[in-house]
Every structure is written in C-alpha cells, then in structure tokens.
Amino acid sequence: MAQVRNRTATIIILLAVTLLLSISRIANLVTDYWWFEALGFSRIFIISLKAKFLLFLLSTSVFFAFVMINLWISSKANESKAPFSWKFTISLALAFLVGLASYQKWFILLQYLNQVPFNLQDPIFSRDVAFYIFSLPLFLAIKNFLLFCVAAAIVLVLLDYMQSFLGRLLKQPQVIAPDGTSYGINVKSALSNLKGRARVHIAILGSLFFAILAVGHYLAGFSIMYSDKGIVVGAGYTDVMIFLPILRILMILAAAIAVLCCIWIFVTKKTKSLEKNHILLSIIIIYLLAVLILPTVIPAMVQTYKVSPSEMNLEKPYIEDNIRFTRIAYGLSDVEEKTFPVEMNLTPEIIASSSETMDNVRILDWRPLTQTYRQTQEMRLYYDLSGIDIDRYEINGKYTEVMIAPREMNQAQISENAKTWVNLHLVYTHGFGVVMSPVNSVTREGMPNYLIKDIPPVYTVPDENLRIDVPQLYYGEEDNDFVLVNTRTPEFDYPKGDTNAYINYDGRGGVQLDSFAKKLAMAVRFSDIKILLSSDVTPESRIMFDRSIRERIKTITPFLLLDRDPYLIIDEGRLFWIQDAYTVSDRFPYGEKVGSINYMRNSVKIVVDAYNGSVTYYITDTTDPVISTYARMFPEQFKSFDLMPHGIKEHIRYPEDLFKVQSAIYSTYHMNDATVFYNKEDAWQIPNEVYGTGQQIQVEPYYIIMKLPGEEKGEFVLMSSFTPIKKDNMVAWLAARSDGETYGKLLLYKFPKEKLVYGPLQIEAKFDQDSTISEQLTLWSQQGSRVTRGNLLVIPLADSILYIEPLYIQAETGQLPELKRVLVSDGKRVVMKENLNSALLALFGEVGVRQRQMRAETEREGEKSTDELISEAQEYYNAILDSMGKNWTAFGENFDRLGEVLRELG
C-alpha cells in the first residue's frame, strides 16, 4: 500500500508540474500575441505560429503513422504477445519529440515557399543561387526526417522481433573452426529461420533506408559549392573531378543495395537460406568501406600528388569563380576604384579651400569622451551615458558632425535600499534626454563644447533641428525590467533641484491592461502576483516589456542579423533609434566566409520610437532576393524606403559592422587576376595604430564629413585605410557614402605603387621621434598624469594626406580625461599644439584670409557667455564638494578651475 501511495503521489506531482508548465507556456504565448498585436506585427506572429503548428502536426503524424504501421505489421508477422499499448506509448512519445525538432524548421519551409530567384547561376551545376539558400536546406531537412523515420522504425521493429529472433539465435550451434576455435553463434543461420513475412518486412525497410541514403549522397554533392576545404571557398579541382564522382559512386551503391534488398526477398523465398545469398551482405560491406575511405583518402591523395604540384593551373578557373561570387555576396562588385596621386604637397591654400572637411575634423575620441560625458552629465547614479554615437545635423545652416549620447535609465544602478517593487516597476520607468557636442570643438580646459546638456535640456545653440519636445526614453539599449505606466503612481521624470519632477505616460507603448485576463496572464508570465493585486494599476495602465531595442527587434524578426551599434537621432522634436539589420546566409556558392556567413547585405533600416516603442522596417536594398523573400513571407510588414520620413532619412548612415566585413574581404578580393590572387602578391590589411597608453590596436573605421575628390560639397562618409600585408605604408583608402542618392556607394582610392605614403604606425613613430613632443609626454607622465592617445585620423585633402591625432591628459586619480593637445602631420613635419587651428598655423604658416580666420578662431576658442560661465562655475563647485576629504588632487584641480571661471566672470 505504501508503494501504491508513493507512486500515486509521484504521478500527482508530475501532473501538477506539467499543468503549471502548460499554464506558463500558454500565458507566454497569449502575452506574446498581445505584444505583437500592440506593435502591429500580429501577422508575423500568426504566420510563424501557423507554420510551426502545421509542421509539428505534419511531422508528428507522419512519424507516428509510419512507425505504428510497421509495428502493426511486425506484430502480425511475429505473432507478438507484447502489449500493443506500450508500442503505442513509445511511438507517440518519439513522435512528439520528432515534432518538437521538426517544427523548428518552420522558417526554412516558409523561405522555400516564398523564394525569390537571384537570377544568378552557379558555374558547376547551373543552379540559381536561390536553390542553395532557399531550396536545398528544406530538401536536406526532409531527407534527414525520412531517414530518422525509417531508422527508428527499423530499430523498433527489430526490438519487436527480438523475442523470436533471440530464441532462434540462442538455439543455433556455435561456429567451430577446423582448429576447434569457437566463434560464437551463427547469426546468418538464425536470420534464415525468421518467418518469411518478417524477412520481407526488414528487407523493405532496409531498401527504403538505403534509397534515402542514395538521395542524401546526391544532395551532398551540392555542398561543394560552399565548402571551405580547398584553397578558396567553393568547388575546386579535386571537388569537381574527384569528390563529386565519388559521391555519385556512393549514390549508385546505395541505390543498388536498395534494389538488392527487394531482390533478396524473392531469392530467400526460393532458397530459404541466407548462406547462399551473400551478394547483399558483400555489397553492404563494400558500401560501408567506400563511405569510410573514398571521400577522405582518394581526394587527399589527388590533392597531394596531382593538384599541389600544378595548383595554380588546375585551380585557376575555380579561383576566378570565387573572386566573382564573393564580391557579389558582400556587395563589392560595384566598388568604384580611382587613383589618388598623393603629391604630399599640402599648402595653406589647400587647407583654406578644404573648410568643409577641416571644420568637421573629429578631434574628440568617443572612448575618453564617454568618461567625460558620464562624469559631467549623468547627474544621478541611475542614469547611463555610455552609448555615444556619431551623426550629423544641419545646425544654423552648417553641416555639422556631432557626438550624441542618450541619458538612459539603468535600474541596476538604483541604490539597494530604493529597489522596491513600486520604484522598479512604477516609478523609475524611463531615461531623459540626450547630450550632444560637436566633434571638432572643446573648451579651454579640453572639455566638450556641449550643444545639448543638462536636465531639462539646455541648448547652447538655438536650432529647430536640435529641439526635443519629448525627451523621455522608455526604449533603448539598456535591458531593464518590465514597467507599468499610466498608473495611479506618478512616474519619476527628472531630478529638479532638491525635488523631482513627475509625469504620467500618455503614449501608445506597451500592452494596455484593460481586463482581468490580461493582468492575470501578465502576472503568470512574469511570476509576479503584484501585477494582479496592485491597486495602482487601472484599466488605462499599460505594461512595457522587452524594452531593449535589439531584443525587441530580435523577437519580431529573429531571422535578421543586427548591427552592434544602434544610434539615436532627433527628428521633429522626438527621439528615434535607427538599427541597421542584415540579411545573411552561409550557403552562397563560392562566397568567402567571415565567421560562419558568406553572404551579407544591409537591406533593412529599422526605426524604433524611443517613447512609444513602435518598430518600423524599411527596405533599403530592393535588389536583395533574401529581403524580397522575407517580404513575401510576411506581407505588409516591411515598408518601402520611400516611405521613411525625410527627417529620419537624413540621418541614415553606412553601417560600421558591414563596412568592417567588406573592408576585410576587399583587402584580398580587390585583386582581379587569379594568379595575383593565388600568390597574394598585392594582399592588404587594416593597419594598426598606437592608442591609449601606448598599446597597438587595429584602426577602427571612422565617420567624417569631407569633400571627396572631384565632388563639389562635403558629405558624411565612413572610411578606412589599407596597408600591404606585414608592412606599415599605406596603399589605399576605402570610403562608404551615406548622403542622399549616393548612399551605399563604395569608393576605393589607390595610391601609386611607386610612392611611399606613410601609414598610421609610421606617423606615430614620427610623433614619438620628435624631441619636443617626446619631452612633453615624458614630463606629463613624471607629473603623475596619464597620457591617452586618441584615434589617428588619416584625412585626404585635395591630392595629399593630413594626419591628426588628439592627445588626452588625465590625472592618475582623476576621472576626467581632457583634450590638451592635438598632433598634426603632413607626412613630412609634425607639430603638437593646444588645438587644431594652432597646429595648422604652426605647420603651414599664416598665409591668406583663411589663415587669419584660423587665428581669430584660435584666439576666440574657449570664450563663453555669462550663463555658460555661471553653469560651469556651479559644476566645478559641485565637484569640489564631492572631492573634499576624498581626493585632494581633484579638489585642487577643480578649485583652480573655479578660480579661472570666476576671473572670467569678473
């Protein structure tokens, strides 16, 4: 009785756990639907759910029916007395697991059904590229499913036959060799005693198994188109001439075995013995040996003894295919290549005529600037200003490059004693405003000249393009917990002196909790009963969750790869996030691989409203068949780029992640000639630079407003330079355009091979070798300051190159890195001055109106209005109070600066 009670209790517990898990899954499913519906993407949810359910149902039904039919046959043939209910239970359990595995292929199925052709055929099989990306994955999935069905049926059927089989097996005498050695029981003889129907059954299943293997060998042949085992990705000489015929041989052998299994049925009926029918067993052994040996040993031998001695001649046509297809895969087939003469004859006149470029030189580096922003503009511990982005705005009629950072709420930084449920979910719900400064301007103390700062926003330059009417940030890069808005509890808006300002949310974000069912479902989803019980929640309240924009987008469209750096923009008084997204594949024929992918396009720009959380997808590359396929899969969910608001369109930029991948690929694939490519005679690399406190790092691509050679006005571009492999001199630079009709175009400027153009490391060495610069750097270090070198910018001007590097100084115990010097070189001379204009004057002299303007700007640099000086004095006064008794070095520095500001006010 005790065992029965224990067993009953266990069953009850298991049923209770299953019920709870089911309730939780149902709650998640329902709340997910409400979430998708609130965002206007219920169609994606429904289509995906239908595809998953139908695929689960179909695969479960097919597997269950196939296995049960075979078990019924085996039961009849074997006159099995085993309870049929156990067979039913085992088959159903396996079918359920198969369904769970199969429904995950829902996306592959939808791709196949909605595929758009590439109108590009591979050179080996003459198949459209769409076959490899959309069709082949489904065919392989179906093959694997059928193979598992048959294999599972064979195992279960053999187990069902086991009783009679083992009985006959044990009755068979041992095999005795002439020398008297015993080799065990005679399995072949035992098999021959199986009933005829059982042998027929097993033979038919075996025939199906090998028929599917034959199909598998046929499909495996297409994998050579994206194989990375050769000299390049894609089919090579050995693949086409050796490996492909081997797969055909294996296919024929497997098909022959499938046919022989059927023949074996009739042969054994006549002979009633397996001993005389050894052909089937022999060919199976031959097949297994062939599978183990042929695909590995033979190609390796051919590669070693035939291909390697004449590799260039034999592989040349395949290398040419790889170059062509790789360029297409990464959008590099239309790179416009030009010659950049590099005369290295910069003059004052060239500097004066390049005002659009020189007025936007990024002397501020985002990494040290992040510390400055956080120390001076976070205001409270729970704010986070770590996400600095680079963009451009028309400010008072001038095209200006800026750095902008959102002031996001970071709930993890709220003090522990304030982390109550009400504070975390009802009060501290959002961030507030942004901080913005131009990339080319600092105060006399080396601090950024803010265009937007403080809370509420203070604008140092009045301009409608910078106006923020809705500064609240409910959605951003931070991964905060769910919040309840528009409740009876006012939300904290921003700190206001000794008090705080509060608001009530009036937007459309989140799911409205207008029914008991919704509150109950949300309480179950988040395992939080307070959602259901809180008296602050009203029918007008809304719950916001999945507020990280990256996770938000991944939930809606998990099939898109996202850029690592979404960025915030201001448009018509509102804040929006722009997230670049990529269509990718790992099955593009002959496409060189970067990581696990060999196809990449920036076909989608995603805009997220920082206040409402609305998500809008815009197709920017209509020539991409992958995004066209997705648009057919989910109609009306992707919008045309023409529908993007003009104000937002002005801020789209070429994505950095794509540019890095393209630069890495093009460093090798700029070579058109297969012989040159094979020998890597002209291979390039991304150069290194000295950064920070002296370590070498790879140069990051950088955004800059510049006037490209031959163009009439400055534009926002992303650029990077190249050096030869294992050398430091520059040979070319690549620019990606971001403005207007030229968006997305790539320009490569090649330097003459006979000219030496200094690369970043060589210019860094010239800086270090200058006695004046070296002595000053040593002096700062001896005084207890930390010298931080910023990005070295390589800036093309006319037909020459200018090198600029910012230098930051930070006290060993301080938190504020300050831009104190700017290093400039024209490739011949180097100078270090307090600001860029002074450095240019020192390098090029005082000639012409532009130079006089530079001097005037140099003299005026650092001048501020009375209000700005008062605000700065208040900041230094607060810093003095904070450092008093804790950091006397910082106390002294801030005290001196306060005195300077007060003298200016006087």
Side-chain angles (χ1 to χ4, degrees):
M1 288 297 292
Q3 290 181 349
V4 173
R5 284 197 299 269
N6 289 337
R7 188 178 302 168
T8 304
T10 302
I11 292 172
I12 291 173
I13 292 172
L14 289 174
L15 288 174
V17 171
T18 303
L19 180 62
L20 288 174
L21 290 174
S22 299
I23 292 174
S24 177
R25 288 182 179 276
I26 291 171
N28 283 341
L29 185 67
V30 172
T31 52
D32 277 343
Y33 174 74
W34 289 334
W35 187 86
F36 273 83
E37 185 181 42
L39 285 171
F41 291 103
S42 58
R43 195 162 189 173
I44 288 182
F45 182 87
I46 295 297
I47 291 173
S48 303
L49 186 63
K50 281 183 178 179
K52 292 175 183 177
F53 177 75
L54 291 174
L55 201 54
F56 173 84
L57 188 63
L58 179 64
S59 57
T60 302
S61 302
V62 169
F63 181 88
F64 181 74
F66 183 78
V67 170
M68 285 303 299
I69 289 171
N70 280 280
L71 287 175
W72 179 80
I73 293 172
S74 66
S75 298
K76 293 294 183 182
N78 197 35
E79 298 178 358
S80 174
K81 297 181 180 179
F84 199 77
S85 59
W86 282 107
K87 299 177 185 180
F88 180 89
T89 303
I90 293 172
S91 300
L92 187 61
L94 284 175
F96 180 78
L97 295 176
V98 168
L100 290 180
S102 298
Y103 92 85
Q104 298 178 33
K105 306 294 183 181
W106 66 273
F107 190 72
I108 292 175
L109 175 63
L110 290 182
Q111 280 190 130
Y112 173 78
L113 296 175
N114 296 278
Q115 62 180 282
V116 173
F118 278 70
N119 295 320
L120 173 68
Q121 293 184 334
D122 78 85
I124 304 300
F125 301 105
S126 298
R127 297 266 189 171
D128 191 274
V129 171
F131 169 80
Y132 297 94
I133 294 180
F134 303 130
S135 300
L136 187 58
L138 180 65
F139 296 159
L140 291 172
I142 293 173
K143 182 267 296 184
N144 291 334
F145 171 75
L146 294 177
L147 194 65
F148 183 79
C149 286
V150 176
I154 290 174
V155 171
L156 292 174
V157 163
L158 285 175
L159 288 174
D160 196 33
Y161 286 133
M162 192 63 72
Q163 276 186 321
S164 59
F165 177 74
L166 283 178
R168 293 180 176 86
L169 192 65
L170 293 174
K171 292 178 182 178
Q172 297 300 318
Q174 292 183 329
V175 178
I176 307 297
D179 59 358
T181 304
S182 173
Y183 289 95
I185 55 181
N186 191 336
V187 176
K188 290 170 62 178
S189 178
L191 279 171
S192 67
N193 290 326
L194 278 174
K195 291 185 179 181
R197 283 182 294 178
R199 294 202 301 270
V200 169
H201 189 189
I202 294 172
I204 291 174
L205 287 176
S207 178
L208 284 174
F209 184 79
F210 281 100
I212 296 170
L213 285 179
V215 174
H217 290 309
Y218 171 75
L219 294 176
F222 296 109
S223 66
I224 66 172
M225 298 309 301
Y226 42 85
S227 168
D228 55 0
K229 295 180 181 179
I231 187 173
V232 292
V233 172
Y237 177 86
T238 304
D239 292 320
V240 175
M241 300 299 178
I242 306 300
F243 185 70
L244 203 56
I246 286 174
L247 288 178
R248 297 293 181 260
I249 292 171
L250 294 178
M251 181 184 70
I252 293 170
L253 283 175
I257 294 174
V259 173
L260 284 174
C261 283
C262 295
I263 297 174
W264 180 75
I265 297 171
F266 301 101
V267 172
T268 54
K269 280 184 178 180
K270 294 180 179 180
T271 62
K272 297 183 180 181
S273 173
L274 295 176
E275 294 181 358
K276 297 181 180 179
N277 300 283
H278 57 277
I279 298 176
L280 176 61
L281 186 60
S282 300
I283 197 169
I284 290 176
I285 294 173
I286 293 172
Y287 170 78
L288 292 175
L289 291 173
V291 168
L292 292 173
I293 297 173
L294 293 184
T296 54
V297 176
I298 303 302
M301 293 177 61
V302 172
Q303 184 69 31
T304 302
Y305 298 108
K306 178 175 177 59
V307 177
S308 293
S310 307
E311 193 170 47
M312 179 58 234
N313 293 330
L314 295 177
E315 299 284 8
K316 185 175 181 179
Y318 307 107
I319 293 175
E320 290 172 346
D321 290 332
N322 173 260
I323 293 173
R324 174 175 167 241
F325 276 80
T326 295
R327 287 187 171 188
I328 294 172
Y330 293 98
L332 294 170
S333 55
D334 295 323
V335 175
E336 185 178 352
E337 297 189 0
K338 297 183 178 182
T339 300
F340 193 83
V342 200
E343 298 299 334
M344 300 305 291
N345 60 348
L346 278 174
T347 64
E349 290 76 21
I350 292 176
I351 299 295
S353 64
S354 304
S355 59
E356 288 179 278
T357 301
M358 298 308 300
D359 288 348
N360 284 286
V361 170
R362 181 168 62 85
I363 59 173
L364 287 172
D365 190 299
W366 68 270
R367 281 163 282 199
L369 186 65
T370 298
Q371 297 181 52
T372 304
Y373 271 21
R374 300 188 70 171
Q375 288 296 315
T376 62
Q377 287 294 311
E378 281 188 349
M379 307 300 184
R380 295 290 189 273
L381 284 174
Y382 40 75
Y383 285 133
D384 192 346
L385 275 163
S386 59
I388 292 181
D389 297 303
I390 299 174
D391 200 1
R392 71 285 196 197
Y393 287 79
E394 284 283 344
I395 301 177
N396 290 338
K398 186 176 181 181
Y399 202 38
T400 305
E401 186 173 350
V402 301
M403 290 192 173
I404 180 173
R407 188 182 289 107
E408 292 196 64
M409 174 66 67
N410 185 347
Q411 292 181 332
Q413 296 299 322
I414 297 174
S415 59
E416 290 299 323
N417 59 352
K419 285 185 177 179
T420 65
W421 187 87
V422 171
N423 280 342
L424 289 175
H425 300 295
L426 276 70
V427 178
Y428 293 100
T429 58
H430 60 273
F432 194 91
V434 303
V435 177
M436 181 188 288
S437 61
V439 299
N440 64 331
S441 176
V442 294
T443 66
R444 183 159 45 194
E445 293 78 22
M447 306 294 285
N449 262 325
Y450 292 114
L451 295 169
I452 305 175
K453 63 178 182 176
D454 298 344
I455 300 175
V458 173
Y459 306 93
T460 60
V461 176
D463 192 286
E464 278 296 301
N465 290 330
L466 304 183
R467 187 190 82 253
I468 304 176
D469 299 324
V470 185
Q472 291 80 16
L473 289 155
Y474 285 88
Y475 300 87
E477 294 185 82
E478 292 290 339
D479 188 18
N480 290 315
D481 206 346
F482 74 88
V483 294
L484 296 159
V485 297
N486 199 17
T487 65
R488 292 190 178 97
T489 300
E491 301 169 50
F492 166 76
D493 199 22
Y494 60 88
K496 190 177 181 181
D498 295 330
T499 62
N500 294 325
Y502 293 87
I503 65 162
N504 278 92
Y505 183 76
D506 61 355
R508 305 182 309 275
V511 177
Q512 187 172 348
L513 299 176
D514 53 3
S515 68
F516 176 81
K518 286 187 176 181
K519 289 195 290 184
L520 177 61
M522 292 298 177
V524 173
R525 179 190 180 103
F526 295 106
S527 302
D528 194 335
I529 192 64
K530 293 179 182 179
I531 297 174
L532 187 63
L533 300 179
S534 175
S535 59
D536 291 315
V537 179
T538 73
E540 300 300 320
S541 299
R542 311 179 79 90
I543 183 169
M544 296 179 177
F545 56 96
D546 288 345
R547 295 191 294 143
S548 164
I549 57 173
R550 286 177 57 84
E551 294 306 316
R552 197 172 185 80
I553 294 167
K554 284 180 181 178
T555 302
I556 300 170
T557 49
F559 43 84
L560 293 176
L561 179 67
L562 303 183
D563 191 270
R564 289 174 293 178
D565 186 27
Y567 57 101
L568 193 73
I569 68 163
I570 304 169
D571 180 49
E572 296 185 353
R574 298 182 66 88
L575 299 174
F576 297 93
W577 293 94
I578 297 181
Q579 171 72 68
D580 285 286
Y582 308 108
T583 54
V584 296
S585 176
D586 59 354
R587 294 176 177 273
F588 195 87
Y590 277 110
E592 184 65 31
K593 290 188 177 180
V594 176
S596 61
I597 65 171
N598 68 352
Y599 176 88
M600 187 176 189
R601 293 292 176 86
N602 175 221
S603 300
V604 186
K605 302 282 185 182
I606 306 167
V607 179
V608 181
D609 189 311
Y611 187 71
N612 289 321
S614 60
V615 182
T616 309
Y617 293 78
Y618 296 98
I619 296 178
T620 55
D621 185 359
T622 56
T623 65
D624 176 21
V626 179
I627 194 60
S628 298
T629 297
Y630 296 165
R632 290 179 63 177
M633 289 164 58
F634 306 108
E636 301 176 8
Q637 303 297 287
F638 295 88
K639 295 185 178 181
S640 168
F641 182 64
D642 296 335
L643 298 177
M644 180 184 283
H646 177 72
I648 297 178
K649 196 178 291 187
E650 287 183 337
H651 292 281
I652 65 168
R653 66 185 192 186
Y654 202 89
E656 190 172 338
D657 282 355
L658 175 63
F659 188 75
K660 285 181 179 179
V661 170
Q662 289 177 319
S663 298
I665 290 292
Y666 209 68
S667 63
T668 302
Y669 283 84
H670 67 277
M671 295 179 281
N672 294 310
D673 185 85
T675 303
V676 175
F677 182 95
Y678 174 80
N679 295 317
K680 300 295 186 287
E681 297 174 16
D682 193 25
W684 300 341
Q685 65 183 7
I686 306 297
N688 287 341
E689 65 174 339
V690 177
Y691 182 80
T693 56
Q695 63 270 30
Q696 286 193 22
I697 65 170
Q698 191 175 79
V699 176
E700 294 284 330
Y702 46 88
Y703 293 101
I704 184 173
I705 291 178
M706 65 175 295
K707 186 164 69 173
L708 292 169
E711 299 296 329
E712 296 181 356
K713 64 177 184 177
E715 57 185 285
F716 193 63
V717 302
L718 180 61
M719 65 172 292
S720 181
S721 54
F722 294 105
T723 62
I725 290 287
K726 298 181 180 180
K727 291 186 178 180
D728 294 329
N729 59 293
M730 279 198 304
V731 291
W733 58 280
L734 181 68
R737 309 174 79 170
S738 295
D739 290 350
E741 297 297 323
T742 63
Y743 174 83
K745 293 185 177 179
L746 295 173
L747 298 171
L748 181 76
Y749 293 89
K750 289 184 175 181
F751 301 156
K753 292 184 180 296
E754 66 275 9
K755 290 189 177 181
L756 173 64
V757 181
Y758 290 127
L761 279 181
Q762 292 171 322
I763 292 297
E764 299 277 13
K766 289 180 74 71
F767 287 147
D768 292 336
Q769 292 164 5
D770 183 87
S771 58
T772 303
I773 296 174
S774 179
E775 289 173 7
Q776 185 61 63
L777 295 179
T778 302
L779 180 62
W780 277 323
S781 298
Q782 291 174 348
Q783 291 176 345
S785 297
R786 185 163 68 247
V787 179
T788 301
R789 300 171 84 146
N791 280 128
L792 176 66
L793 304 180
V794 179
I795 303 175
L797 295 175
D799 56 359
S800 300
I801 299 288
L802 184 67
Y803 306 87
I804 299 175
E805 181 176 271
L807 208 62
Y808 291 84
I809 308 297
Q810 181 179 343
E812 288 290 343
T813 56
Q815 296 290 324
L816 288 174
E818 298 173 351
L819 180 63
K820 287 298 185 184
R821 295 291 186 272
V822 178
L823 306 173
V824 180
S825 174
D826 62 354
K828 301 174 183 177
R829 300 162 293 164
V830 297
V831 296
M832 181 177 71
K833 293 295 178 181
E834 293 184 358
N835 53 61
L836 178 60
N837 289 332
S838 298
L840 293 174
L841 287 171
L843 196 61
F844 299 106
E846 189 174 0
V847 179
V849 177
R850 177 60 185 165
Q851 282 66 39
R852 288 196 295 272
Q853 290 174 343
M854 285 193 222
R855 170 165 289 182
E857 290 168 6
T858 303
E859 292 172 352
R860 290 197 303 270
E861 192 165 17
E863 290 185 5
K864 300 172 184 174
S865 66
T866 301
D867 290 341
E868 289 178 306
L869 289 171
I870 293 173
S871 176
E872 189 172 346
Q874 183 64 48
E875 289 178 11
Y876 287 131
Y877 177 72
N878 293 335
I880 289 171
L881 295 179
D882 290 339
S883 57
M884 188 180 296
K886 302 175 183 176
N887 187 336
W888 290 109
T889 302
F891 175 87
E893 291 177 354
N894 289 313
F895 190 85
D896 291 340
R897 290 167 184 163
L898 177 61
E900 293 176 4
V901 174
L902 292 176
R903 281 193 293 274
E904 287 188 51
L905 279 169

